[in-house]
Amino acid sequence: MHILNPQQLQEVDVLTMQRQQIRSWDLMERAAKAALKQIIADHPAMLGEPITILCGKGNNGGDGLVMARLLLEMGQKPSVWLQHASQYSVDNQENQGLLPIGYLKTFHLHTNFEFPKQGLLIDCLFGYGLSKALTSDWQPIIEQINAFEGRVVSIDMPSGLACEGHLPAGSPIVEADCVYTFQMPKLNLVLPDYGYYAKSFKIISIDLDEAAIAESSSSSFYSDADSMATLRKPRLKYSHKGTFGHALLLGGSYGKMGAMVLASKAAIRTGCGLLTAAVPIAGVSILQCTVPEAMVLADTNEQALQDFNFPTAYSAIGIGVGMGTSVESQQGFSIFLRSLPAESKLVLDADALNCLAKHSQLLAHLPKESILSPHPKELSRLLGTWQHDYDKITKAKAFCQQYEVYLLIKGANSLLVCPDGELHFNATGNPGMATGGAGDVLTGILTSLRAQGYPAKEAALLGMYIHGLAADLAVEELGEESLIASDISNYIGKAFMRLTQGGF
Ligand SMILES: NC(=O)C1=CN([C@@H]2O[C@H](COP(=O)(O)OP(=O)(O)OC[C@H]3O[C@@H](n4cnc5c(N)ncnc54)[C@H](OP(=O)(O)O)[C@@H]3O)[C@@H](O)[C@H]2O)[C@@H](O)CC1
Ligand SMILES: [K+]
């Protein structure tokens, strides 16, 4: 799914109207109807409670006016406030005229709303038309919304949050409990910096012209179920274990052998034909007992990988989980990386990344198309610190371009940065995944997909999606608090099945 900027969205709007032979008024009617239907589905109790709608002077406000009319037709009596302005958008003006005369209340920047103590507040002040941060004279209005004791839902965007671009700290922005955003998420809805303003979001399809969206020159994407389902390669009837590759995982150290157990199990559950785990001597019996499906190779060192004297002719190699950063391991890793054939398919995580950060000269030895999967702290060791998310993205793009590698930045809406500058945000996952070992499971999944012949980009996209989806399915049974990394592995199979059945 593409993520478009406001200018691209406007172009798609125009093409949609031309190709579907509808007016902008019809598109607004469609959008407002679809959003209201979803809001009611999510908050059935709202129909018995006070509903407040705040409308701006543009088309976002127009959506609010349509919703007000639809609610009146349902017998509800929403309290509807319209921004005082000398000029309104055409469809906003037209929809004002479709409400009973005298029904609308007008507000100014100094209005004291005296909101009810409960119920639902629908924020339709600004949508994708917001060009820059709101000035401080909007602060009193936004503060009243944020102090509202009921639930706040925003249409398209939390008002005050532009679709794209960094906003200065302290800008007045609505803190929405849920954002109902049209057709696709906007960039600032999936960036961690702004997560506080959009605690969750739902995508409301309004049938914008798909061809027009595909023709747009966007390089930002959201990995949804439909696009991910097409990536999955079916397993053919006459395939055998050799068909699905032989993965090698290297890692583990005394006290951190569990990371290798988790990664190994996840790799096998993801479908590689064979798996070899290379661990320090102390890990051999642990791996053999806990993952009998895996073959195990032992390093010469008892407690940490040191010699790395393993064959490299595997379909894919995942390195780093639980490895530790002992001097021996760093030296061994360095020699291993320098000696790898250029065509090796590599996944690097955890201490392999920390080692790369400490010895940046090693970066030049990364095989092209390697996947690096840092969490934000590991990323900052690789890239240095950043001021805000856009700064981080610029640095990450430059890194990926320079070394021709993929960065999979873990977090809510994990982000894959590609060597060509494309950004792919992941749709699956939940806060239950903030638990030790979840990243090791991802390394297993990624290495397994690479071993099965998935190209790096597809492996990274499908891997992060399946990882999050498995956790989402596990949480349905177990709850977020109780989710542990092994559960994610145990649900990988169901995640693949759900992907094939479509939709989540
Ligand atoms: N295809 C879709 O997705 C569909 C989208 N639809 C809806 O349309 C919405 C977009 O509507 P929109 O273009 O009219 O813009 P909107 O967000 O209402 O705000 C515009 C107003 O804000 C003002 N303004 C701007 N920046 C400002 C600032 N910093 N500080 C103060 N003011 C500022 C600006 O004033 P100006 O600067 O021009 O004087 C203008 O008056 C979209 O989000 C969705 O809800 C559906 O109806 C149909 C299908
Ligand atoms: K809004």
Side-chain angles (χ1 to χ4, degrees), residues 276-389:
T276 294
V279 289
I281 294 167
V284 173
S285 48
I286 298 173
L287 263 293
Q288 294 271 252
C289 293
T290 52
V291 198
E293 298 85 354
M295 290 164 274
V296 182
L297 294 174
D299 194 273
T300 48
N301 188 309
E302 177 72 25
Q303 305 213 333
L305 289 177
Q306 177 176 346
D307 287 343
F308 287 79
N309 193 14
F310 308 113
T312 52
Y314 289 89
S315 319
I317 301 174
I319 186 162
V321 301
M323 188 172 84
T325 50
S326 66
V327 176
E328 301 80 29
S329 293
Q330 288 187 46
Q331 282 169 352
F333 171 74
S334 164
I335 295 166
F336 179 77
L337 194 59
R338 286 170 197 269
S339 63
L340 269 184
E343 65 278 8
S344 303
K345 298 171 179 176
L346 203 57
V347 175
L348 299 106
D349 187 33
D351 291 322
L353 301 176
N354 293 330
C355 210
L356 281 177
K358 275 193 184 151
H359 308 280
S360 56
Q361 72 281 7
L362 286 178
L363 290 168
H365 296 277
L366 286 174
K368 311 247 172 305
E369 309 258 295
S370 292
I371 303 172
L372 286 67
S373 53
H375 56 57
K377 190 83 200 148
E378 288 159 351
L379 184 71
S380 71
R381 292 185 194 123
L382 282 171
L383 302 182
T385 51
W386 51 83
Q387 305 290 319
H388 48 72
D389 280 338

Side-chain angles (χ1 to χ4, degrees), residues 46-47 49-56 61 64-72 75-83 99-100 102-107 111-125 145 148:
M46 71 183 259
L47 299 179
E49 294 182 348
I51 302 170
T52 306
I53 308 179
L54 300 184
C55 304
L65 296 168
V66 176
M67 282 192 254
R69 169 163 45 83
L70 296 172
L71 283 164
L72 277 165
Q76 303 296 309
K77 294 260 176 310
S79 169
V80 190
W81 292 87
L82 177 68
Q83 180 189 349
L99 285 168
Y103 192 81
L104 285 169
K105 295 175 272 193
T106 311
F107 74 88
T111 296
N112 183 359
F113 291 112
E114 294 184 358
F115 291 136
K117 292 268 172 250
Q118 51 164 352
L120 191 79
L121 191 154
I122 307 181
D123 152 38
C124 303
L125 293 177
I145 298 173
F148 177 65

Side-chain angles (χ1 to χ4, degrees), residues 257-281:
M257 230 55 88
M260 277 296 284
V261 174
L262 289 166
S264 301
K265 279 189 179 168
I268 290 168
R269 287 270 186 221
T270 305
C272 57
L274 293 165
L275 174 75
T276 294
V279 289
I281 294 167

Side-chain angles (χ1 to χ4, degrees), residues 424-494:
H424 293 261
F425 293 89
N426 187 39
T428 55
N430 61 73
M433 299 172 81
T435 179
D440 306 327
V441 171
L442 178 63
T443 300
I445 294 175
L446 296 170
T447 310
S448 184
L449 291 173
R450 283 297 270 142
Q452 290 171 63
Y454 284 87
K457 181 174 164 188
E458 280 78 351
L461 288 174
L462 189 58
M464 66 180 177
Y465 191 87
I466 287 288
H467 183 237
L469 181 52
D472 289 342
L473 293 169
V475 157
E476 280 180 9
E477 299 282 321
L478 304 166
E480 289 180 354
E481 285 79 2
S482 200
L483 183 82
I484 56 173
S486 328
D487 298 325
I488 304 177
S489 266
N490 292 339
Y491 277 82
I492 290 172
K494 285 200 168 146

Side-chain angles (χ1 to χ4, degrees), residues 144-186:
Q144 288 182 72
I145 298 173
N146 292 342
F148 177 65
E149 291 170 39
R151 207 167 155 79
V152 175
V153 298
S154 289
I155 300 305
D156 214 14
M157 290 298 289
S159 294
L161 184 60
C163 291
E164 292 201 8
H166 173 63
L167 291 161
S171 307
I173 302 175
V174 166
E175 295 158 13
D177 293 303
C178 185
V179 181
Y180 293 84
T181 196
F182 294 127
Q183 197 73 24
M184 66 198 66
K186 318 299 182 282

Side-chain angles (χ1 to χ4, degrees), residues 38 56 61 80-81 90 95 101 168 170 172 216 231 250 276 374 392 461 504:
Q38 187 63 53
V80 190
W81 292 87
V90 173
N95 277 299
I101 293 168
S216 71
L231 293 184
L250 294 106
T276 294
K392 173 182 80 183
L461 288 174
F504 184 69

